[in-house]
Amino acid sequence: DTNAIVDVLGVVEQVNDPSVITRKTGEETRKRSVIIRDASNRSIEVTLWGNFVDNPGGQLEQAFKAGARPLLGAKAVRLGDFNGKTLST
């Protein structure tokens, strides 16, 4: 269900660089996309917003670049439907 609030746990498959977007209100905000794969072997994009871009986003990026495959657990993220199913903090 789009807009449902869910908890998720998965292995990090990809960490994208942070970017800045402009909201409809004209306000700029930061975001970072992380792709995770769960126990069912399905992957989904998790978008980290605001402070989450650096913590845990920066830590995930460092670990991933060092060759680790960290776990990302997120509680109460919103399920979206932007170019396929997505999750957002």
Side-chain angles (χ1 to χ4, degrees):
D1 294 331
T2 301
N3 290 324
I5 302 297
V6 298
D7 299 337
V8 65
L9 175 66
V11 177
V12 174
E13 296 278 308
Q14 179 179 333
V15 181
N16 295 327
D17 291 333
S19 62
V20 176
I21 65 161
T22 303
R23 295 179 186 240
K24 293 177 185 176
T25 62
E27 174 189 10
E28 288 189 345
T29 190
R30 296 173 59 216
K31 75 171 201 163
R32 181 193 299 260
S33 296
V34 177
I35 307 297
I36 63 170
R37 185 171 304 276
D38 68 8
S40 70
N41 207 30
R42 293 189 176 157
S43 61
I44 192 163
E45 178 180 334
V46 180
T47 304
L48 305 175
W49 295 95
N51 294 335
F52 294 117
V53 168
D54 296 319
N55 185 14
Q59 295 165 337
L60 291 171
E61 180 181 34
Q62 288 176 352
F64 189 77
K65 284 183 176 180
R69 292 293 181 260
L71 290 177
L72 174 63
K75 192 167 180 72
V77 292
R78 184 173 306 277
L79 180 62
D81 194 13
F82 182 74
N83 294 329
K85 296 290 183 200
T86 60
L87 296 169
S88 184
T89 59

